[in-house]
Amino acid sequence: MKIAFVGKGGSGKTTLSSLFIRHLAATGAPVVAIDADINQHLGAALGLDEAAAAGLPAMGEHLPLIKDYLRGTNPRIASAEKMIKTTPPGEGSRLLRVREDNPVYDTCARPVELDGGAVRLMVTGPFTDADLGVACYHSKTGAVELCLNHLADGPDEYVVVDMTAGSDSFASGMFTRFDLTFLVAEPTRKGVSVYRQYKDYARDFGVALKVVGNKVQGPDDLDFLHEHVGEDLLTTVGHSDWVRAMEKGRPPRFALLEDANRGALRALHAAVEAAYGLRDWERYTQQMIHFHLKNARSWGDERTGTDLAAQVDPGFVLGEGVVAPA
């Protein structure tokens, strides 16, 4: 199951995604956690110290390896250099599975020990001095989008992505790559404005969206969210001494998280499980192709000197049962 956390900057998106990752790990489920935000804070939220978080390998720096592995023996792709971030899989492509070992995980993922289990953590990498004024951050998230395009995940296994803040998530087709998107919103006008933007952008693509109210302090806050979000409001999270201790680098055992907030995480988990029954791999594949062709026309064909539309395998539909080459 693929889950995204989105929201405006400062909404608590990374904190909520890290709590959900801890919750899943505590159940013993396999989890791949991905930090795709321009501000790389997920590692710290999962308990890594500053040096360990800074030492995580950046996916964008290993894009040639990722492309070469995923290309496999796909005859429609002349070389790894001809792949772009939206290149879809086809017959002969290698796929990623949550539970497996592969060169992509070996190079780009690191285990993070949590209460009750461990997760694989992958990061896009921070914006560097060399990028200032010459690079778009979304070029760095291309490695994440390519991996999601080739991910054949199943039930009871999870990929949780902490997305970039605000409506920047729509700068690529990655926002359509998830079974469920959790939008973290504070009970303020700014907090719900991102929800309205996201709802409008996502409507035409059938994106499943649920709102998690954060920093909710009482009935007035709850009424405000109900008024502006309506039935999309799934659950709320209030003040947490556990989170405050975690932010100071001294997290207690996860079992000591407040009962109300543990209940909110269970509500998120139940919503994800319900989303599994609504999966439509045909639509998922067609959306992938839609954004690939859009990128091919706007910049990809010119940059690669290739008709990237030819990379589309019309008979291929990504799914859990697809058998890929070793």
Side-chain angles (χ1 to χ4, degrees):
M1 302 294 289
K2 297 178 286 292
I3 305 107
F5 279 81
V6 301
K8 79 172 185 65
S11 64
K13 168 179 63 68
T14 298
T15 298
L16 264 294
S17 62
S18 71
L19 289 176
F20 189 57
I21 290 165
R22 289 176 183 271
H23 164 81
L24 293 174
T27 71
V31 181
V32 175
I34 302 177
D35 192 344
D37 194 357
I38 189 170
N39 298 306
Q40 301 270 280
H41 296 312
L42 184 58
L46 291 175
L48 296 183
D49 61 31
E50 186 175 335
L56 293 168
M59 295 176 70
E61 293 179 1
H62 298 284
L63 191 54
L65 178 146
I66 294 171
K67 289 180 176 180
D68 188 63
Y69 178 76
L70 297 178
R71 173 179 171 246
T73 59
N74 187 334
R76 295 177 176 272
I77 304 173
S79 67
E81 290 74 20
K82 301 299 184 182
M83 294 177 74
I84 63 173
K85 65 178 184 177
T86 55
T87 295
E91 190 69 31
S93 295
R94 290 194 182 96
L95 305 180
L96 298 176
R97 311 276 178 173
V98 173
R99 302 173 190 262
E100 70 180 359
D101 294 319
N102 59 55
V104 175
Y105 292 154
D106 291 345
T107 303
C108 300
R110 294 294 180 267
V112 177
E113 298 291 334
L114 300 171
D115 292 353
V119 302
R120 281 173 164 148
L121 175 60
M122 304 171 74
V123 303
T124 59
F127 217 54
T128 66
D129 290 343
D131 298 317
L132 295 177
V134 297
C136 168
Y137 181 72
H138 301 287
S139 64
K140 290 182 172 291
T141 63
V144 180
E145 187 168 1
L146 194 59
C147 285
L148 291 176
N149 280 359
H150 290 75
L151 180 66
D153 55 311
D156 303 320
E157 53 186 30
Y158 305 89
V159 176
V160 180
V161 182
D162 182 18
M163 297 278 279
T164 191
S167 56
D168 282 355
S169 299
F170 293 98
S172 74
M174 195 159 65
F175 74 97
T176 66
R177 304 293 84 204
F178 302 99
D179 294 289
L180 189 56
T181 296
F182 292 124
L183 189 145
V184 181
E186 299 168 271
T188 64
R189 286 186 297 175
K190 287 185 178 180
V192 298
S193 66
V194 172
Y195 160 75
R196 294 193 189 98
Q197 285 181 309
Y198 218 101
K199 183 81 170 178
D200 288 344
Y201 288 147
R203 183 178 290 112
D204 293 340
F205 293 94
V207 172
L209 181 68
K210 290 294 181 182
V211 175
V212 182
N214 193 27
K215 306 177 186 177
V216 175
Q217 298 182 5
D220 286 346
D221 286 347
L222 187 59
D223 289 345
F224 180 88
L225 287 172
H226 277 300
E227 176 185 354
H228 291 276
V229 174
E231 62 183 14
D232 285 336
L233 182 63
L234 175 65
T235 189
T236 63
V237 176
H239 173 78
S240 173
D241 290 332
W242 192 99
V243 169
R244 181 59 60 87
M246 180 270 290
E247 290 174 342
K248 293 177 179 178
R250 301 192 296 268
R253 290 185 299 109
F254 186 63
L256 297 178
L257 181 70
E258 299 85 358
D259 288 343
N261 292 330
R262 292 181 68 84
L265 296 177
R266 288 193 293 269
L268 268 62
H269 198 169
V272 170
E273 296 305 294
Y276 179 75
L278 303 176
R279 277 190 160 188
D280 184 344
W281 284 105
E282 178 71 37
R283 183 181 70 177
Y284 185 88
T285 304
Q286 289 306 310
Q287 288 177 339
M288 193 189 311
I289 292 170
H290 167 80
F291 283 104
H292 178 62
L293 296 178
K294 188 175 182 179
N295 278 268
R297 290 190 296 267
S298 64
W299 62 270
D301 286 354
E302 181 178 359
R303 183 173 301 179
T304 63
T306 301
D307 177 11
L308 294 173
Q311 293 182 344
V312 175
D313 185 340
F316 183 88
V317 176
L318 184 64
E320 297 169 40
V322 175
V323 177

